[in-house]
């Protein structure tokens, strides 16, 4: 049995760093040095007979997800805006999206001059499909930018049934679901297009970067032209055939957002290793989750049966806690080295901005989202943590939450 925190003379403290990533694999460092020594960093700057790191990475990423086509780009945010542009979303259009997501998602919608229409979140932290069903016909949007925020995947079958019936096309934001699946089909394979991020805090780390994938040759030809391929699209290896570009190449603006060979070089070994990393993340996740079970006042977010997750972060709810009680928990955990983020804080901190923080959008009221986010706690699980670390973190949170729950 664990010591009672009130009587224990020594409360254990966690010493790890929540923002420390693993090093880039040695194979990636070696490949990056080769690119640097060759000086050919631009993706289309290739020697005779050379494919280039970016084209090879795209081919490997397409194979990894099962998508017919893949395009590597400068960021996840760019990937989303590129997908929206490829779908023809433009100024004044409305785009459905999650009320609970990260700032680059509404930002991508705003970047093409469109207006987000936010959908409520459920206690599972997925998009509220009943609210979506009510909005979908009424709001005039023809695209849903669906964010699998923090890796939580909704019932995709029901979501697609709702969207298909209304003629709404789905773009998946897979920033937190690279390597995850719904009912055995990889995340990103359910909508017409998908966007991924390889920014440092996601599942592969190139500092900045991302992908667009799709099976649709016309959409992908547009995305490739948009990304800044000039007339060099034939050098891609995970692209539609040249005839898909015949019309598109005259009418698609260049909105440069290419990936370079240096980033691709460090990503290729990471992609090869991703399945193993997913298992490591999930071992951390399940250990913290187990440690939090049956904590008074704390609601675990149970993962759905159809979800294959990547547990790179964990969330839980403190539904009945007041603001001062939550602050006490956060301070108690912080004093013991456990860094929690709170999506209910009135003032957005770091990445905890909410739909009502994005005041460039039309004001909307989402009472359910407000209620749920008021008690939502979020924590990163970097792979520099061991399973032992995860056990200690779970114990610290359980003790700090219990102390407040039993006090209150
Ligand atoms: C990180 C993130 C993105 C994309 O981010 P970039 O920093 O632009 O690569 C998109 N959606 C969500 C939910 C994210 O967390």
């Amino acid at each position: 049995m664990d010591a009672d925190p009130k009587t224990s003379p020594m409360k254990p403290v966690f010493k790890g760093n929540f923002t420390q990533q693993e090093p880039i694999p040695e194979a990636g460092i070696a490949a990056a040095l080769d690119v640097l020594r060759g000086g050919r960093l631009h993706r289309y700057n290739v020697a005779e007979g050379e494919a280039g790191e970016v084209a090879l990475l795209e081919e490997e990423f397409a194979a990894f997800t099962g998508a017919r086509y893949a395009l590597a780009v400068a960021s996840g945010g760019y990937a989303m805006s590129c997908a929206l542009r490829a779908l023809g979303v433009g100024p004044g259009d409305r785009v459905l999206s999650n009320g609970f997501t990260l700032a680059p998602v509404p930002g991508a919608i705003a970047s093409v001059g469109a207006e987000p229409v936010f959908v409520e979140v459920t206690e599972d932290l997925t998009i509220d499909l009943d609210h979506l069903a009510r909005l979908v016909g009424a709001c005039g949007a023809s695209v849903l930018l669906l964010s699998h925020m923090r890796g939580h995947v909704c019932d995709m079958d029901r979501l697609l049934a709702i969207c298909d019936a209304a003629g709404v096309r789905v773009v998946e934001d897979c920033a937190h679901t690279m390597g995850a699946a719904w009912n055995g089909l990889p995340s990103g394979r359910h909508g017409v297009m998908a966007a991924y991020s390889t920014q440092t805090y996601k599942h592969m780390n190139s500092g900045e970067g991302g992908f667009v994938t799709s099976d649709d040759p016309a959409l992908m030809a547009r995305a490739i032209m948009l990304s800044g391929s000039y007339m060099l699209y034939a050098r891609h290896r995970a692209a539609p055939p040249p005839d898909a570009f015949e019309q598109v190449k005259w009418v698609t603006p260049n909105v440069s957002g290419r990936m370079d060979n240096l980033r691709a070089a460090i990503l290729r070994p990471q992609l090869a290793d991703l399945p193993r990393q997913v298992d490591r993340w999930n071992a951390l996740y399940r250990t913290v989750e187990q440690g939090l079970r049956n904590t008074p006042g704390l609601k675990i977010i149970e993962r759905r049966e159809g979800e294959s997750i990547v547990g790179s972060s964990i969330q839980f709810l403190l539904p009945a806690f007041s603001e001062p009680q939550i602050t006490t928990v956060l301070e108690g955990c912080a004093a013991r080295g456990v860094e929690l983020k709170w999506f209910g804080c009135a003032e957005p901190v770091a990445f905890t901005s909410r739909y009502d923080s994005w005041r460039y959008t039309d004001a909307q009221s989402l009472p359910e989202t407000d209620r749920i986010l008021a008690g939502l706690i979020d924590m990163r699980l970097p792979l520099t943590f061991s399973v032992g670390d995860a056990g200690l973190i779970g114990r610290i949170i359980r003790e700090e939450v219990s102390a407040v729950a039993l006090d209150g």
Side-chain angles (χ1 to χ4, degrees):
M1 286 303 291
D2 292 320
D4 177 346
K6 287 224 172 83
T7 57
S8 163
M10 281 281 290
K11 290 183 178 179
V13 170
F14 178 61
K15 300 273 198 248
N17 179 340
F18 281 80
T19 54
Q20 181 59 54
Q21 309 301 326
E22 289 195 298
I24 300 302
E26 285 302 325
I29 295 173
L33 289 175
D34 279 348
V35 171
L36 290 173
R37 292 197 176 102
R40 295 185 299 278
L41 274 72
H42 192 283
R43 68 167 296 162
Y44 299 118
N45 184 200
V46 288
E48 188 65 34
E50 185 184 42
E53 293 286 338
V54 178
L56 291 170
L57 173 66
E58 288 168 343
E59 191 172 49
E60 290 159 2
F61 193 73
F64 174 76
T65 58
R68 281 172 80 183
Y69 311 122
L71 170 69
V73 294
S75 73
Y78 183 87
M80 291 185 288
S81 60
C82 179
L84 294 175
R85 277 201 181 87
L87 282 160
V89 176
D93 289 344
R94 309 188 84 195
V95 175
L96 286 155
S97 194
N98 308 60
F100 171 52
T101 185
L102 202 78
V105 177
I109 296 169
S111 79
V112 299
E115 264 293 327
V117 177
F118 294 119
V119 185
E120 297 262 34
V121 73
T122 67
E123 287 200 346
D124 300 329
L125 299 190
T126 54
I127 192 165
D128 181 337
L129 296 176
D130 295 328
H131 190 217
L132 177 68
R134 289 200 300 279
L135 280 175
V136 82
C139 75
S142 61
V143 173
L144 164 65
L145 178 53
L146 173 67
S147 187
H148 302 299
M149 179 63 167
R150 291 293 182 266
H152 297 271
V153 180
C154 72
D155 177 345
M156 290 300 295
D157 304 319
R158 184 166 168 227
L159 176 125
L160 290 175
I162 293 167
C163 290
D164 287 349
V168 167
R169 289 179 294 176
V170 178
V171 177
E172 294 180 74
D173 163 22
C174 302
H176 302 158
T177 54
M178 184 190 284
W182 166 256
N183 279 345
L185 187 62
S187 188
R189 303 291 301 130
H190 301 263
V192 290
M193 297 188 98
Y196 301 79
S197 172
T198 61
Q199 188 241 74
T200 292
Y201 297 107
K202 314 297 161 115
H203 299 171
M204 297 199 288
N205 176 10
S206 59
E208 305 289 351
F211 294 97
V212 180
T213 61
S214 182
D215 285 352
D216 185 305
L219 290 176
M220 212 54 193
R222 292 234 279 279
I224 289 169
M225 290 306 297
L226 282 162
S227 76
S229 65
Y230 307 102
M231 298 299 164
L232 299 169
Y233 44 78
R235 295 195 189 163
H236 287 240
R237 299 168 73 100
D243 62 301
F245 293 82
E246 270 319 304
Q247 301 301 316
V248 165
K249 71 183 179 189
W250 304 108
V251 294
T252 309
N254 179 322
V255 187
S256 289
R258 295 170 299 269
M259 184 178 279
D260 57 83
N261 285 327
L262 188 55
R263 280 160 212 233
I266 68 173
L267 287 171
R268 290 181 61 209
Q270 294 180 57
L271 179 58
D273 212 22
L274 189 53
R276 189 180 70 90
Q277 303 292 70
V278 169
D279 290 343
R280 291 177 63 210
W281 260 308
N282 290 345
L284 299 179
Y285 182 96
R286 295 299 181 190
T287 302
V288 174
E289 182 186 54
Q290 196 50 40
L292 298 181
R293 271 201 194 284
N294 306 317
T295 301
L298 184 149
K299 185 166 185 292
I300 301 255
I301 293 158
E302 301 294 348
R303 306 312 292 258
R304 260 165 237 281
E305 210 180 308
E307 263 185 298
S308 306
I309 69 164
V310 183
S312 55
S313 69
I314 189 163
Q315 295 70 41
F316 58 88
L317 295 166
L318 299 174
F321 278 32
S322 65
E323 289 201 12
Q325 285 179 311
I326 291 179
T327 304
T328 305
V329 169
L330 298 185
E331 288 172 357
C333 287
R336 298 174 67 182
V338 174
E339 224 178 272
L340 302 178
K341 304 287 179 200
W342 176 31
F343 274 97
C345 193
E347 190 67 27
V349 180
F351 51 78
T352 62
S353 68
R354 299 180 303 239
Y355 77 94
D356 54 348
S357 325
W358 306 320
R359 295 184 192 162
Y360 55 86
T361 65
D362 279 347
Q364 265 181 262
S365 162
L366 300 178
E368 270 301 285
T369 301
D370 294 342
R371 181 181 70 75
I372 290 160
L373 296 191
L376 178 62
I377 310 295
D378 178 42
M379 183 176 72
R380 249 187 209 129
L381 291 170
L383 287 175
T384 47
F385 291 0
S386 65
V387 169
D389 292 338
L392 175 58
I393 291 166
R395 172 181 168 184
I396 290 171
I397 298 172
R398 187 178 68 236
E399 288 175 356
E400 295 300 320
V401 171
S402 305
V404 173
L406 302 176
D407 225 41

